[in-house]
């Protein structure tokens, strides 16, 4: 399948609560898949060994009620000749998405000092369609103290 590639970004956000870091809702007849994900602490509050922590996150598909409390950035088109994304995105929703029949597609953690970068191989990418609704990258619990977090998710929309 052909597809267009987009990024959704948040930068230097103070994170002190569990939240949906990214919420992606596919458009009608335009399934999406996550190609890559990066998360990093951009402040220096948790740089020392004693302050360092690992934060658990999940990629979950199937919520039918959107979260709230964050913002709705416009997905960035990587190829300037492509059209705007059909899917919608939200970031940093402190009221998490809910309801629906969910499935956890990926479970991992990242060290706030080292960050996280992952590129999924083509046949192993977390994916969603309008039929199975929203996909989120959820920070499962609050950090021990507020951290300044930035993130980028790279999404391919299948057309």
């Amino acid at each position: 399948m052909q597809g267009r590639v987009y990024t959704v970004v948040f930068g230097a956000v103070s994170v002190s609560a569990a939240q949906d870091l990214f919420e992606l809702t596919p458009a009608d007849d335009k399934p999406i898949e996550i190609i890559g994900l990066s998360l990093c602490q951009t402040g220096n509050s948790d740089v020392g060994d004693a302050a360092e922590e690992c934060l658990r996150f999940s990629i979950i598909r199937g919520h039918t009620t959107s979260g709230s409390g964050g913002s709705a950035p416009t997905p960035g088109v990587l190829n300037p000749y492509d059209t705007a994304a059909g899917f919608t995105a939200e970031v940093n929703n402190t009221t998490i998405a809910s309801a629906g029949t969910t499935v956890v597609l990926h479970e991992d953690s990242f060290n706030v000092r080292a960050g996280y970068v992952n590129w999924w191989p083509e046949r192993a990418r977390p994916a969603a369609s309008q039929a199975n609704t929203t996909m989120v990258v959820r920070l499962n619990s609050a950090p021990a103290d507020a951290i300044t977090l930035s993130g980028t998710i790279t999404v391919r929309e299948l057309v």
Side-chain angles (χ1 to χ4, degrees):
M1 283 186 131
Q2 295 296 323
R4 298 183 182 104
V5 180
Y6 304 88
T7 57
V8 178
V9 177
F10 67 88
V13 173
S14 179
V15 174
S16 59
Q19 61 187 259
D20 287 340
L21 298 172
F22 297 97
E23 179 179 302
L24 307 169
T25 304
D28 189 25
D29 297 327
K30 293 183 179 179
I32 59 172
E33 61 184 11
I34 297 173
I35 296 173
L37 174 65
S38 66
L39 300 168
C40 66
Q41 178 183 233
T42 51
N44 58 10
S45 60
D46 281 9
V47 173
D49 290 342
E52 190 172 325
E53 61 185 311
C54 290
L55 298 175
R56 189 171 67 90
F57 69 92
S58 303
I59 298 176
I60 304 166
R61 178 181 62 214
H63 286 298
T64 54
T65 302
S66 179
S68 63
S71 62
T74 300
V77 180
L78 287 185
N79 182 337
Y81 301 107
D82 280 342
T83 61
F87 70 93
T88 60
E90 296 179 16
V91 296
N92 305 109
N93 280 339
T94 52
T95 300
I96 61 174
S98 60
T101 304
T102 61
V103 59
V104 175
L105 303 174
H106 184 82
E107 180 83 21
D108 213 332
S109 70
F110 72 100
N111 181 301
V112 295
R113 188 173 181 183
Y116 179 86
V117 176
N118 191 6
W119 294 96
W120 280 269
E122 187 162 351
R123 299 199 38 95
R125 294 175 179 159
S129 68
Q130 185 185 31
N132 47 43
T133 64
T134 299
M135 187 164 43
V136 298
V137 177
R138 177 166 296 151
L139 182 62
N140 292 310
S141 58
D145 55 354
I147 60 172
T148 304
L149 198 61
S150 294
T152 301
I153 193 165
T154 305
V155 179
R156 183 168 87 158
E157 186 171 62
L158 305 170
V159 291

